[in-house]
Amino acid sequence: MKGTILENAGRAQVLRAPFVHAVIDDALDPALFDTLKACRPTMAGQNGVSGMDGQVPAKGNVRIPISAKLFRDLEFYPTCWREFATRHIKADIYFAIRALFGDLWPENQPKLVEGQSRFGLLGADDFENHDVLCDARLELISPGGVSGSHRRAHLDAPNRLFSALLYFRNDDDDTKGGGLDLFAWKNGPVPKAKSAFELGDDAVRRVVTVPYQANRLVIFPNCINALHGAEPRDASIHERAYMFITAEMQNDWF
């Protein structure tokens, strides 16, 4: 799948603990990654998009998403980013990710059929005419004057099928932290876990951290055990940036 996050899926490390996930280093072709990195949109360059008004938030570790719909609709974004986002909302991305995990894919997820299930764009299409809505958004996390995280341990929305994060760490970013922490339940799922913004240390324990590294891809199928969160990072002058690719159903499935 040339030109996609799955171009080098053959080198994926598929891991089972603390929940099923895959890590692919140097996921994109280096030339494509360098092209995207060189013209990556920044917070200061948003010119009012997402309510930014071209200003970096004074509060650190604030998340600003640039959705695939925005990339599609706004011509001032670099062509390479518009094309990259559009490519990753296609049905074949979902089916290739599902194939990557094989028998480890959650059995209780909805059974989508290649060539029959209808895929659309999150924020533009509706579930009346589509079975799945996809997004490929650039997420920017603002610099912070103190150590912090924009979101600690949590579950993704229970109508989501998978999450994929491709990291765009700057070459000069020497900030400690900023990876993806993976957690496990201490005593099983807690009440309201699926709707909680964050889960406390009394409910979960950190098991492993996937470091924040340029061109590193982390993918996991969503499920009740897919607990994750942004690793706290030191005070920094650097944005944290990653492409977030996902697909969602109309109804919760777990």
Side-chain angles (χ1 to χ4, degrees):
M1 299 184 70
K2 187 173 178 58
T4 77
I5 59 170
L6 299 167
E7 180 167 351
N8 293 302
R11 64 170 68 130
Q13 302 176 62
V14 180
L15 307 165
R16 296 171 180 256
F19 54 86
V20 172
H21 65 283
V23 179
I24 305 176
D25 285 339
D26 299 318
L28 290 186
D29 175 83
L32 174 58
F33 184 80
D34 288 345
T35 296
L36 291 166
K37 183 176 66 172
C39 61
R40 175 180 65 78
T42 64
M43 285 192 164
Q46 290 313 292
N47 297 318
V49 177
S50 301
M52 285 297 298
D53 296 323
Q55 300 296 317
V56 176
K59 178 183 177 183
N61 293 302
V62 174
R63 169 185 163 273
I64 298 295
I66 306 174
S67 68
K69 181 181 183 298
L70 285 177
F71 278 122
R72 184 196 70 177
D73 294 346
L74 300 179
E75 294 184 357
F76 66 75
Y77 286 118
T79 299
C80 61
W81 276 95
R82 300 181 71 203
E83 292 176 346
F84 188 68
T86 298
R87 178 65 187 89
H88 285 84
I89 59 170
K90 305 300 183 184
D92 64 338
I93 297 293
Y94 162 80
F95 288 106
I97 289 174
R98 195 176 74 179
L100 173 66
F101 288 96
D103 293 341
L104 296 178
W105 194 259
E107 293 184 356
N108 60 329
Q109 276 210 9
K111 306 302 182 186
L112 303 178
V113 179
E114 196 164 4
Q116 297 182 24
S117 297
R118 304 164 300 168
F119 284 70
L121 174 59
L122 189 67
D125 296 320
D126 58 48
F127 285 112
E128 182 176 351
N129 298 298
H130 301 83
D131 304 303
V132 186
L133 297 181
C134 303
D135 201 5
R137 57 183 180 256
L138 176 64
E139 301 204 342
L140 305 173
I141 311 300
S142 68
V146 296
S147 176
S149 166
H150 77 280
R151 193 176 187 186
R152 294 296 289 144
H154 66 279
L155 290 171
D156 282 345
N159 66 330
R160 185 169 292 166
L161 300 173
F162 72 87
S163 295
L165 299 90
L166 177 67
Y167 288 133
F168 281 87
R169 184 171 190 153
N170 290 337
D171 293 339
D172 60 347
D173 184 355
D174 58 356
T175 313
K176 293 182 180 179
L180 187 69
D181 282 340
L182 307 183
F183 299 84
W185 296 111
K186 285 185 174 179
N187 296 292
V190 297
K192 299 184 178 180
K194 292 184 284 187
S195 60
F197 181 73
E198 292 181 329
L199 295 159
D201 292 340
D202 57 332
V204 302
R205 59 181 176 86
R206 187 186 65 83
V207 177
V208 67
T209 299
V210 181
Y212 178 49
Q213 178 176 306
N215 207 8
R216 170 171 283 165
L217 176 70
V218 186
I219 316 174
F220 55 89
N222 200 17
C223 69
I224 191 64
N225 295 317
L227 294 158
H228 61 285
E231 176 192 18
R233 60 175 178 157
D234 288 353
S236 178
I237 61 172
H238 299 283
E239 294 178 358
R240 180 173 177 263
Y242 54 91
M243 196 69 172
F244 180 75
I245 299 158
T246 192
E248 299 181 359
M249 305 288 291
Q250 180 174 17
N251 299 315
D252 295 350
W253 63 269
F254 77 82

